[in-house]
Amino acid sequence: MKYLRFICVAFLIMLTCVVAQGRDAVAAVQQIVAVVNEEVISVSDLGKRMKLILASSGLPNNAEMRERMMPQVVDSLINERIMLQEARKMGINVTPEEIDQGFATIAGQNNQKPEQFKNMIRRGGIDISTMEAQIESQVAWSKVVQGKLHPRVVISERDIDDAYDRIKAKVGTTEYLTAEIFLPVADAKQQAKVKKLGDRLVREIKSGKASFFKLAQQFSKAAGAARGGDTGWLNEEQVNPSILEGLQKIEKNQVTSTIKTPDGYHILFLRDKRTMTEDTMPSRDQIRYNIGTDRLNKLQHRHLMDLRAAAFVDIRV
């Protein structure tokens, strides 16, 4: 009888350990990285996104790189949750067809057909739903911007005249065709980490191990990030003096070092440069488009920052 009782107690202890281990395993997967209003970003979410970025950008998948990029990735995931929450609040939905179209666009940027690209992702051990979630947030936010902010962009003929006169006065100065990676610093405590990430990205680009344009798509918070960081032609009088100094030190198809400005850190890729002439001046339609794009980009950035300031955000890493 005592032996039977001993067996039962031992079995209960073993069962308790197994259940506890199971709970620990689930907790590890569901450990909270951040809370955004009432939604949770888990360790699993963070790990999947980091794996996607590392695989798509060509960056080395090691502990140092993961530590460097983690704050930026967490920040991106938080912004994406806020974007989706705002879209839902406005009654905006993203259809599976729109996600497929976004996926096809990314595949095209990699010179592949959608199915080829999906197979490549699967072979890399990446969960396709991770990329689909990223696409969903981008599509949803573009609908928010078009529906809520675009109607507020008004461009008068006087605006175009003034811009034309300013541009004409710059004939004879140098213009730079660039692409940009912008890493903002919202918290002074993160400045050193952001700088180290920028420096590491520069090293990977200069060594040829990573593509500037793919890194811009994943890391940059500038308006042209989705287009590989494209900024179009910039006149020397349009850019921050520190950025201009960096551009003047490099040649075509080279990348600057990490450049500090009051908002954060910039990395510029010089695609081409020229002297502005009357023949290279933009048309009135192009000026109208540029003014509208610039104003819309500023509006959407301000709107996202306002939404984030009003949101409950609890970062736990």
Side-chain angles (χ1 to χ4, degrees):
M1 191 69 177
K2 289 182 180 179
Y3 179 75
L4 180 60
R5 188 181 300 117
F6 172 79
I7 293 294
C8 291
V9 170
F11 177 76
L12 287 173
I13 292 172
M14 181 181 70
L15 182 61
T16 302
C17 290
V18 170
V19 171
Q21 288 173 355
R23 282 200 304 265
D24 289 343
V26 172
V29 173
Q30 296 181 343
Q31 184 180 349
I32 295 174
V33 169
V35 178
V36 185
N37 292 320
E38 297 180 354
E39 296 186 19
V40 166
I41 297 172
S42 69
V43 167
S44 177
D45 295 329
L46 176 61
K48 288 177 181 178
R49 178 60 63 86
M50 291 180 75
K51 190 173 184 179
L52 170 63
I53 292 173
L54 290 167
S56 62
S57 64
L59 292 172
N61 188 353
N62 56 42
E64 181 200 357
M65 180 53 70
R66 290 193 296 272
E67 182 183 357
R68 291 265 188 272
M69 63 189 279
M70 185 174 69
Q72 290 287 322
V73 178
V74 171
D75 189 69
S76 293
L77 288 170
I78 290 170
N79 285 345
E80 288 172 18
R81 291 298 173 95
I82 290 172
M83 290 172 178
L84 284 169
Q85 289 169 4
E86 177 69 359
R88 286 198 295 267
K89 199 180 299 180
M90 293 175 60
I92 292 172
N93 295 309
V94 178
T95 66
E97 291 76 19
E98 288 170 324
I99 293 176
D100 287 343
Q101 182 56 51
F103 197 93
T105 299
I106 296 172
Q109 291 170 346
N110 287 271
N111 299 315
Q112 293 187 352
K113 293 182 179 179
E115 278 308 312
Q116 290 177 312
F117 193 54
K118 285 183 180 180
N119 289 335
M120 183 187 75
I121 290 173
R122 291 190 186 101
R123 287 196 298 271
I126 298 168
D127 190 339
I128 290 178
S129 65
T130 304
M131 181 172 283
E132 291 175 339
Q134 188 176 27
I135 293 169
E136 182 185 10
S137 66
Q138 291 169 348
V139 174
W141 184 246
S142 69
K143 289 184 174 184
V144 171
V145 170
Q146 289 301 313
K148 191 170 187 176
L149 304 179
H150 191 270
R152 292 162 53 184
V153 177
V154 179
I155 305 163
S156 68
E157 291 302 314
R158 178 62 182 272
D159 291 333
I160 299 172
D161 290 339
D162 289 345
Y164 181 86
D165 291 341
R166 287 195 302 270
I167 294 169
K168 191 171 183 179
K170 295 171 184 173
V171 168
T173 58
T174 304
E175 290 185 302
Y176 299 89
L177 182 62
T178 68
E180 175 188 33
I181 295 173
F182 173 52
L183 306 173
V185 178
D187 184 348
K189 296 177 182 177
Q190 296 294 324
Q191 183 165 300
K193 288 185 177 181
V194 176
K195 173 68 162 59
K196 287 180 180 179
L197 173 63
D199 290 343
R200 183 59 190 267
L201 296 182
V202 168
R203 288 200 299 272
E204 295 297 323
I205 294 165
K206 286 185 174 181
S207 69
K209 295 177 181 178
S211 161
F212 181 98
F213 303 102
K214 289 183 179 180
L215 291 182
Q217 287 175 332
Q218 292 293 348
F219 287 98
S220 180
K221 296 300 185 291
R227 304 187 303 276
D230 177 44
T231 64
W233 286 99
L234 298 175
N235 188 271
E236 62 185 16
E237 296 182 21
Q238 291 177 278
V239 299
N240 178 284
S242 298
I243 293 176
L244 177 60
E245 183 181 352
L247 287 171
Q248 290 172 336
K249 291 179 180 178
I250 61 174
E251 300 296 329
K252 182 179 175 180
N253 294 325
Q254 291 184 343
V255 66
T256 67
S257 300
T258 309
I259 301 170
K260 186 179 185 303
T261 67
D263 297 327
Y265 292 92
H266 304 252
I267 304 166
L268 279 294
F269 178 79
L270 181 57
R271 298 159 61 194
D272 203 354
K273 67 179 179 179
R274 69 187 182 190
T275 299
M276 178 187 269
T277 66
E278 290 194 10
D279 291 337
T280 61
M281 283 184 59
S283 67
R284 289 183 67 85
D285 285 343
Q286 186 62 50
I287 291 173
R288 181 189 298 276
Y289 173 81
N290 291 343
I291 294 173
T293 301
D294 181 59
R295 290 181 181 178
L296 189 60
N297 286 336
K298 288 177 180 176
L299 271 177
Q300 66 169 312
H301 175 73
R302 191 180 308 126
H303 187 51
L304 179 58
M305 292 302 98
D306 288 345
L307 290 172
R308 180 154 178 170
F312 171 78
V313 177
D314 179 20
I315 300 174
R316 302 186 182 182
V317 292

